[in-house]
Amino acid sequence: MKVVLENLTKRFASRQEKGKDVIAVNRFNFEIPDGQLVGLLGPSGCGKSTTLNLISGLEVPTEGRIFFGDRDVTDLPPEERGVGLVFQNYALYPHLTVEENIIFPLQNLKGKQRMTKDAMHKKALEVAKLVQIDQLMERKPKELSGGQQQRVAIARALVKIPNVLLLDEPLSNLDARLRLQTREELRRIQRETGVTTIFVTHDQEEAMSISDLIIVMKEGVIHQIGKPQEVYDDPVNLFVAQFLGTPAINVLEGDIRDGKLYIGSEAVLDMPGKRNGPVWVGIRPEGFLLDENGPFTCGMDRVEVMGRDVSVVCTHPNMAGRNLRAIIPSENRMDAGAKTVRFSLKPYKVHVFDRESEARL
Ligand code: ADP
Ligand code: MG
């Protein structure tokens, strides 16, 4: 089911300053297409959980409307919206078995939706199989690993066949390997069920790897919505460019003069058609080519081996005190003793931003 947010806004009285408001969610307008997995991405405190809580009905919006399909659900209580919720802490009932935890949401169904015990067991087994915990039905939560507990929470959220599945940092409590595995599982489960899913995370790699669409937000405002690769390749501003990608994009002071991009005194790229003036230059780490005649000269700090690639850590006066990182294939012969290193740049990996507004030029 598609989810439409219209002008959705939530203000809280500030916890820090009396009499001041925090705008946790500021005039959101977007439509989540039916059956897609959308990653809601942004730094801590930017309003992700509040957005999810508004969609689930746990929070009441200050302004704006929420639609599931064509139905306005803004004034419906959470239990009438048909949402499945999964949080970072799995919030299972400790005294109930896995099966009882999964069945729990089915027990209070009223009227036509009421289910027999048999039907509930059947349904619980079906979703348990989907998340691959059907062998663990008799266990208590404390007898499960973190990853298994989170699967139980997902099964419980799916058992009523929700209109929308809402996941708030569901993988944050898992260790690195399990996080990777569980996110692939999530993607599979979402594909198999076709449930429209909103996945909240502050981890850009996690969001990029499993989402059909990502929404990048900061301080309650949406900055960009798009397919992960499109947003990575085509960031609308410096914030989005810096938020996506590890290692982060390198940001340098630069200038555009007469159709050329200058970093310091070096003309590093042709940039026809852009107006003269100071810019921020963003260069993705994979945008460098080792080139002894290249136009861009950096100081050589060290080479870090990463296996398939090496990370060349450089210095440059226009980097405002930070190191510059170039990722290049490890086949390249690097003279680690050299004082300087020269690069040419891949044009589609270089973005320029207005120095004031930080909008992409
Ligand atoms: P995120 O999930 O992206 O970390 P939240 O949605 O939890 O961010 O919070 C967004 C902003 O709203 C933060 O500044 C937070 O302090 C504030 N906030 C959230 N809930 C409340 C509340 N109940 N009362 C006051 N301020 C709140
Ligand atoms: Mg949160």
Side-chain angles (χ1 to χ4, degrees):
M1 186 171 287
K2 74 173 179 188
V3 175
V4 182
L5 306 183
E6 261 182 29
N7 209 24
L8 192 68
T9 300
K10 179 69 181 179
R11 285 190 209 96
F12 291 112
S14 171
R15 288 162 174 159
Q16 277 83 34
E17 288 178 76
K18 278 238 166 74
K20 269 197 102 179
D21 276 0
V22 178
I23 307 183
V25 175
N26 195 350
R27 295 173 178 276
F28 271 27
N29 287 292
F30 64 82
E31 179 173 326
I32 295 169
D34 181 35
Q36 298 228 326
L37 194 163
V38 174
L40 188 56
L41 176 65
S44 178
C46 73
K48 303 182 295 296
S49 294
T50 305
T51 307
L52 225 56
N53 293 343
L54 290 168
I55 296 171
S56 71
L58 295 175
E59 295 276 6
V60 178
T62 315
E63 276 172 56
R65 313 301 301 175
I66 301 163
F67 298 85
F68 287 2
D70 296 322
R71 185 172 184 213
D72 185 338
V73 300
T74 318
D75 300 320
L76 286 184
E79 60 276 14
E80 286 175 35
R81 294 191 186 189
V83 293
L85 275 171
V86 178
F87 298 102
Q88 176 177 348
N89 52 348
Y90 327 116
L92 301 175
Y93 302 108
H95 57 289
L96 299 182
T97 64
V98 167
E99 181 175 32
E100 288 163 345
N101 265 284
I102 298 174
I103 283 179
F104 194 83
L106 301 177
Q107 287 176 327
N108 302 317
L109 293 177
K110 301 260 163 22
K112 269 202 299 228
Q113 290 185 300
R114 258 186 96 99
M115 291 172 79
T116 64
K117 273 232 156 63
D118 262 1
M120 288 193 259
H121 284 297
K122 225 177 123 209
K123 187 72 208 165
L125 187 61
E126 198 180 299
V127 289
K129 281 193 172 140
L130 181 71
V131 302
Q132 296 176 344
I133 48 164
D134 49 307
Q135 306 296 323
L136 308 171
M137 295 296 251
E138 297 312 315
R139 295 213 197 161
K140 297 275 174 67
K142 68 169 187 298
E143 299 162 340
L144 303 175
S145 71
Q148 290 168 335
Q149 290 187 43
Q150 195 56 300
R151 285 169 198 225
V152 179
I154 294 166
R156 190 177 57 184
L158 287 172
V159 74
K160 270 208 286 192
I161 313 177
N163 295 321
V164 186
L165 180 62
L166 303 174
L167 306 161
D168 194 348
E169 313 239 9
L171 309 180
S172 300
N173 283 356
L174 307 180
D175 66 51
R177 198 172 284 265
L178 202 53
R179 199 153 66 217
L180 269 180
Q181 189 191 340
T182 313
R183 88 181 183 206
E184 283 166 22
E185 293 276 297
L186 257 181
R187 177 79 255 203
R188 174 186 62 78
I189 294 163
Q190 196 274 333
R191 285 244 165 85
E192 284 182 19
T193 56
V195 175
T196 307
T197 300
I198 306 175
F199 178 93
V200 161
T201 179
H202 63 273
D203 180 337
Q204 54 89 24
E205 193 203 329
E206 197 167 280
M208 299 244 285
S209 64
I210 66 167
S211 307
D212 296 307
L213 281 180
I214 57 172
I215 299 172
V216 186
M217 58 182 293
K218 180 189 172 192
E219 293 169 3
V221 176
I222 295 178
H223 281 241
Q224 193 163 3
I225 303 179
K227 294 189 175 139
Q229 193 70 50
E230 287 170 6
V231 178
Y232 182 82
D233 289 337
D234 241 342
V236 295
N237 58 32
L238 187 59
F239 165 71
V240 174
Q242 286 181 295
F243 200 70
L244 299 185
T246 39
I249 195 166
N250 300 289
V251 180
L252 302 100
E253 284 181 19
D255 287 284
I256 293 182
R257 284 202 299 276
D258 305 328
K260 290 190 189 310
L261 173 63
Y262 283 84
I263 297 176
S265 59
E266 294 177 318
V268 296
L269 267 189
D270 286 337
M271 287 228 162
K274 296 227 158 59
R275 66 172 159 70
N276 288 350
V279 293
W280 292 114
V281 186
I283 311 174
R284 292 276 179 211
E286 68 276 23
F288 297 87
L289 293 166
L290 277 183
D291 178 353
E292 57 192 27
N293 301 312
F296 184 47
T297 313
C298 296
M300 176 78 149
D301 186 70
R302 61 186 187 276
V303 177
E304 290 176 358
V305 177
M306 303 193 302
R308 192 184 33 150
D309 303 315
V310 296
S311 179
V312 187
V313 184
C314 305
T315 56
H316 194 285
N318 290 36
M319 274 289 287
R322 303 185 55 186
N323 282 329
L324 178 147
R325 264 176 199 276
I327 305 291
I328 56 175
S330 58
E331 298 89 73
N332 284 282
R333 287 279 169 79
M334 283 295 307
D335 175 6
K339 290 252 179 344
T340 59
V341 54
R342 291 177 72 158
F343 298 106
S344 50
L345 302 175
K346 301 176 193 171
Y348 57 97
K349 293 289 182 185
V350 180
H351 307 303
V352 292
F353 305 90
D354 188 273
R355 192 76 76 74
E356 291 274 317
S357 71
E358 302 189 347
R360 171 111 168 268
L361 297 173

